[in-house]
């Protein structure tokens, strides 16, 4: 940097700095280049929005004819007719169990990073690396690993195996988002509690967690939305089941679920089966997008609250 | 705020008993938190261990030659990773070479050009694209996009660039490495765009306004100030996008066409590591089939871990530079 700053003083070819300021260089060309770049960046941004719009409108228009309350509340009868109630219930159950496993572990990991390990301590840096690596794992690998641990032992796919797989997908997301929110809790709150002689665990439970609750909930919702649409682990852990029956025992045979319903129906030749798959895609997409919007609103609100 | 409701009791009441309760509580909470952290470490260790031990029979049978043999015929017990490896690399290259410039352009628009009202709407919409489940993107790719690729994109590319073997004759189905790469582009784009936008917003105003005061045009500010100060961060964002593209199984499985052999044309169906594992894991055809799929998973795991570490290293270097500046 300094070399570049010094250079002009030594360069005799440069114009006299005391000369009156007159625009030099090809201004028209520079302006044209700048305008072209501005235009193409604008086009790029609206291209991305267009892709989102195309995806959403495709799902809505293809699903339109099948959408009704009975589609959500009745079980399928064969591939071509009926609703998706059993798959919807199954997905809710699988994701709920995954959340019950991943939420406490993830939030406690976040607490460890912010409240117990020093910000730059070796253990904190190592744990953050581990969380980054877990988050970068291809989800199909999570699937085959849980397959080896549970399905290969019990000799059958199950909803529980799927929940364990999804909880591994959720864990790093929850841990990192909790950690980021906990870091935003003002240090003055901790110091105030310390100066009143409140023990650490009461500070955490009574002051820090309640302050960060909104942000932690946001992270939880986002990770649940992510897990609800995750398909690769379910393909190896929970894809063999009776598609027409309601099966909610997580330790029994496979639990019907929406992502696998979409995947297995998506390449069938029957148009009415395809329409049902689009309907399932619509329900899943609507739930996930609504959850994302809700999380965004909650995050804005809790940020405002915490910043005072 | 419930701590504020703790009633202040006379000093005598906060005796040794309360102090002991505090210490025990602290210990329990610490044990829980440290236990959770250890569990996360254990999960990662278990993943690595399971993949290696699952792949062991295939490793001892095929050795490193597995990486270069392209024949994959489960019913003849012939297993080689080369075809899926090449497919993974090609689809990732397609996705990144489109998504990186596009994502940076979107980020530049959102961080520096968009009016505030547009920014608060378009920014979240771009991020929303990342929230769409891969199975739905893949479903759209299967039903809507691959016919479009077959009927419009492939003929157009073949007409203009057909002298290169990469762009051979158009195929009828549209299930190809090209389609898989384009679908991956859609999934990688929001990652690169959102991360780059956040980086561009951290560029100190003094630098950009200083350049503007010196008479630089908007493009000159971007090229001369914004991109150089954030280059390593943008590189890290790209590598994170690469990680996503390498590991995506479902959407690729739906559009890649499950082809055999390595072809020069991008329009031929192919296979990637993740898609092959997802496709074949539940229906093994011979004894070494599952261990071979685990071997593919091991290759994918190594590539994935290296990518994550690389992204982290680039990003940390970036942080160091920023804090020195």
């Amino acid at each position: 940097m300094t070399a570049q700053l010094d250079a002009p003083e030594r360069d005799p070819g440069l114009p006299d700095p005391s000369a009156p300021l007159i625009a030099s260089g090809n201004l028209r060309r520079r302006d044209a280049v700048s305008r072209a770049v501005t235009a193409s960046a604008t086009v790029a941004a609206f291209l991305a929005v267009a892709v989102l719009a195309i995806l959403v409108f495709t799902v809505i228009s293809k699903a339109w004819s099948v959408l009704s309350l009975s589609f959500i509340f009745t079980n399928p009868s064969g591939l071509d007719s009926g609703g998706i109630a059993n798959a919807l219930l199954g997905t809710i159950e699988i994701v709920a169990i995954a959340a019950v496993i991943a939420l406490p572990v993830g939030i406690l990991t976040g607490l460890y990073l912010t409240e117990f390990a020093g910000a730059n301590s070796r253990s904190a840096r190592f744990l953050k690396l581990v969380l980054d690596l877990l988050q970068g794992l291809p989800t199909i690998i999570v699937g085959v690993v849980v397959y080896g641990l549970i399905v290969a032992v019990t000799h059958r796919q199950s909803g529980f195996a799927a929940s364990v797989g999804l909880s591994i997908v959720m864990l790093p997301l929850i841990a990192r988002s909790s950690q980021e929110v906990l870091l935003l809790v003002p240090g003055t709150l901790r110091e105030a509690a310390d100066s009143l002689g409140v023990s650490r665990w009461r500070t955490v439970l009574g002051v820090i967690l309640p302050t960060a609750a909104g942000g932690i909930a946001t992270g939880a919702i986002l990770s649940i939305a992510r897990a609800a649409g995750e398909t690769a682990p379910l393909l190896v852990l929970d894809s063999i089941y009776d598609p027409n029956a309601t099966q909610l025992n997580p330790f029994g045979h496979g639990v019907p679920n929406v992502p696998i319903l979409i995947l297995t129906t998506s390449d069938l030749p029957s148009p009415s089966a395809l329409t049902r798959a689009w309907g399932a895609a619509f329900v899943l997409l609507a739930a996930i997008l609504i959850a994302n919007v809700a999380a965004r609103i909650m995050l804005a609100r809790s940020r405002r609250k915490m910043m005072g | 705020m419930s701590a504020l409701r703790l009633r202040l009791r006379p000093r005598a009441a906060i005796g040794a008993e309360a102090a002991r309760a505090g210490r025990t509580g602290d210990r329990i909470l610490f044990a829980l938190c440290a236990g959770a952290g250890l569990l996360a470490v254990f999960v990662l260790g278990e993943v690595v261990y399971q993949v290696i031990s699952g792949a062991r029979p295939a490793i001892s049978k095929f050795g490193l030659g597995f990486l270069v043999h392209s024949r994959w015929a489960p019913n003849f017990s012939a297993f080689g990773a080369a075809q899926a490896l090449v497919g993974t690399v090609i689809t990732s290259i397609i996705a990144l070479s489109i998504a990186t410039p596009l994502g940076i352009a979107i980020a530049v628009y959102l961080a520096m050009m968009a009016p505030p009202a547009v920014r608060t709407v378009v920014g979240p919409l771009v991020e929303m694209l990342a929230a769409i489940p891969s199975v739905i993107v893949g479903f759209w790719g299967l039903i809507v996009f691959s016919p479009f690729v077959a009927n419009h994109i492939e003929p157009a590319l073949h007409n203009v660039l057909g002298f290169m073997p990469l762009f051979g004759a158009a195929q009828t189905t549209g299930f190809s490495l090209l389609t898989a790469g384009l679908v991956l582009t859609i999934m990688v784009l929001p990652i690169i765009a959102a991360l780059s936008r956040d980086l561009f917003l951290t560029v100190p105003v003094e630098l950009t306004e200083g350049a503007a005061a010196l008479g630089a045009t908007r493009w000159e500010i971007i090229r001369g100030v914004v991109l150089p100060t954030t280059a390593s961060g943008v590189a890290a964002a790209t590598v994170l996008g690469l990680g996503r593209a390498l590991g995506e199984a479902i959407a690729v499985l739906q559009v890649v066409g499950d082809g055999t052999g390595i072809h020069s044309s991008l329009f031929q169906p192919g296979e990637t590591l993740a898609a092959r594992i997802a496709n074949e894991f539940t229906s093994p055809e011979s004894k070494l089939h599952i261990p071979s799929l685990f071997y593919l998973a091991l290759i994918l795991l190594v590539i994935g871990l290296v990518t994550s570490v690389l992204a982290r290293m680039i990003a940390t270097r970036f942080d160091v530079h920023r804090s020195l500046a």
Side-chain angles (χ1 to χ4, degrees):
Chain A
M1 280 307 247
T2 42
Q4 280 169 15
L5 288 178
D6 291 343
E9 293 176 16
R10 276 184 257 113
D11 189 348
L14 276 178
D16 173 16
S18 60
L21 284 171
I22 301 167
S24 60
N26 190 340
L27 264 188
R28 193 173 295 167
R29 195 181 143 269
R30 287 169 56 200
D31 198 42
V33 169
S34 191
R35 271 169 204 278
V37 170
T38 308
S40 44
T42 313
V43 169
F46 285 92
L47 189 65
V49 176
V51 169
L52 177 71
I54 289 172
L55 278 168
V56 171
F57 280 116
T58 306
V59 172
I60 293 176
S61 66
K62 300 244 181 196
W64 194 247
S65 60
V66 79
L67 288 181
S68 65
L69 278 183
S70 69
F71 184 67
I72 296 175
F73 291 113
T74 57
N75 272 5
S77 45
L79 286 169
D80 293 332
S81 57
I84 56 165
N86 59 347
L88 212 51
L89 277 177
T91 281
I92 292 172
E93 183 197 44
I94 292 169
V95 174
I97 296 176
V100 167
I101 301 172
L103 280 178
V105 179
I107 295 172
L108 286 170
T109 307
L111 274 177
Y112 176 80
L113 284 172
T114 55
E115 308 301 320
F116 293 103
N120 256 327
S121 68
R122 193 169 293 176
S123 66
R125 270 184 307 179
F126 177 67
L127 189 51
K128 281 187 218 159
L129 173 68
V130 167
L131 291 174
D132 277 359
L133 294 180
L134 273 180
Q135 195 173 336
L137 274 185
T139 51
I140 184 68
I141 291 188
V142 173
V144 299
V145 165
V146 176
Y147 184 95
L149 286 175
I150 298 180
V151 178
V153 176
T154 59
H155 296 294
R156 66 172 171 217
Q157 298 192 337
S158 63
F160 180 69
S163 296
V164 172
L166 293 184
S167 71
I168 296 178
V169 174
M170 292 169 77
L171 173 62
L173 300 173
I174 296 173
R176 287 315 291 263
S177 68
S178 311
Q179 180 223 349
E180 274 163 29
V181 175
L182 289 167
L183 280 178
L184 290 180
V185 175
T188 47
L189 285 182
R190 295 189 181 87
E191 286 158 19
D194 281 351
S195 68
L196 288 171
V198 182
S199 56
R200 177 54 67 84
W201 69 278
R202 292 203 131 182
T203 312
V204 169
L205 294 186
V207 180
I208 294 173
L209 279 182
T211 313
I216 293 178
T218 305
I221 292 175
L222 286 177
S223 68
I224 287 172
R226 168 79 200 281
E230 198 54 64
T231 314
L234 301 190
L235 184 57
V236 291
L237 299 174
D238 189 15
S239 61
I240 301 170
Y241 52 77
D242 176 1
N244 294 327
T246 305
Q247 208 289 93
L248 289 178
N249 175 8
F251 301 103
H253 292 280
V255 173
N257 58 79
V258 178
I260 296 299
L261 167 75
I262 300 172
L263 182 68
T264 52
T265 322
S266 67
D267 56 356
L268 292 179
S270 145
S272 53
L274 272 185
T275 308
R276 289 188 60 245
W278 284 113
F282 174 84
V283 174
L284 184 63
L285 187 61
I288 287 173
L289 293 187
I290 289 171
N292 268 273
V293 172
R296 219 165 265 285
I297 293 170
M298 274 178 70
L299 184 68
R301 191 168 295 170
S302 72
R303 276 257 165 82
R304 230 176 296 139
K305 193 179 105 190
M306 230 184 289
M307 300 302 183
Chain B
M1 291 288 135
S2 57
L4 299 182
R5 276 189 256 115
L6 290 174
R7 240 178 296 133
L8 283 179
R9 276 170 291 174
R11 172 181 275 267
I14 317 174
E17 196 185 321
R20 209 174 305 126
R23 274 204 303 276
T24 319
D26 281 357
R27 275 198 208 114
I28 293 174
L29 186 64
F30 175 77
L32 282 174
C33 292
L38 282 177
L39 186 60
V41 177
F42 171 77
V43 167
L44 184 64
E46 188 66 23
V47 166
V48 174
Y49 172 77
Q50 284 291 330
V51 170
I52 293 177
S53 72
R56 194 161 286 146
I59 295 176
S60 55
K61 177 84 197 289
F62 303 115
L64 284 175
F66 188 73
L67 295 171
V68 293
H69 287 293
S70 68
R71 186 155 179 259
W72 180 275
N75 41 353
F76 296 105
S77 281
F79 298 101
Q83 187 219 351
L85 202 54
V86 169
T88 302
V89 171
I90 289 177
T91 50
S92 301
I93 289 177
I94 295 174
L96 280 188
S97 54
I98 301 173
T100 306
L102 213 52
I104 293 175
I106 294 169
V108 163
Y109 175 77
L110 289 176
M112 308 186 54
M113 298 172 180
V118 177
R119 180 185 307 172
T120 49
V121 176
V122 172
L125 284 180
V126 171
E127 287 176 42
M128 208 75 90
L129 196 52
I132 298 182
S134 55
V135 67
I136 294 181
V137 180
F139 189 17
W140 173 81
L142 175 76
I143 304 290
V144 180
F145 191 55
S146 34
F148 179 78
V149 172
N151 295 329
H152 297 97
I153 299 182
E154 287 183 4
L157 283 174
H158 180 68
N159 285 342
V160 182
L161 299 164
F163 60 90
M164 284 189 277
L166 269 185
F167 305 99
Q171 302 289 307
T172 50
T173 60
F175 300 147
S176 63
L177 289 177
L178 175 71
T179 313
L182 292 176
V183 165
L184 285 177
T185 307
I186 296 176
M187 314 183 71
V188 170
L189 181 65
I191 299 177
I192 297 179
L195 290 173
S196 306
R197 177 204 51 194
D198 294 347
L199 286 165
F200 294 162
L201 287 174
T202 65
V203 174
V205 189
E206 294 87 349
L207 292 182
T208 51
E209 287 184 353
L214 289 172
T217 63
R218 193 180 254 167
W219 163 239
E220 286 161 354
I221 297 174
I222 294 166
R223 207 195 56 181
V225 176
V226 175
L227 290 181
T229 44
T230 53
S232 48
V234 173
T238 310
V239 178
L240 281 178
L242 173 65
R244 178 78 201 266
L246 290 168
E248 176 53 44
I250 297 298
V252 172
L253 171 66
Q254 284 166 294
V255 297
V256 81
D258 194 20
T260 51
I262 300 175
H263 306 277
S264 59
S265 171
L266 296 179
F267 305 157
Q268 293 283 344
E271 193 65 283
T272 69
L273 295 168
R276 171 156 279 156
I277 301 167
N279 197 19
E280 298 178 6
F281 199 83
T282 46
S283 50
E285 290 173 31
S286 54
K287 210 176 122 230
L288 276 173
H289 199 172
I290 291 286
S292 300
L293 290 173
F294 265 109
Y295 202 166
L296 294 186
L298 179 61
I299 300 170
L300 190 58
L301 181 67
V302 171
I303 303 175
L305 293 184
V306 169
T307 337
S308 291
V309 172
L310 199 65
R312 228 183 116 85
M313 273 167 54
I314 303 172
T316 327
R317 231 189 61 195
F318 169 74
D319 282 345
V320 171
H321 277 253
R322 181 47 55 80
S323 60
L324 286 180

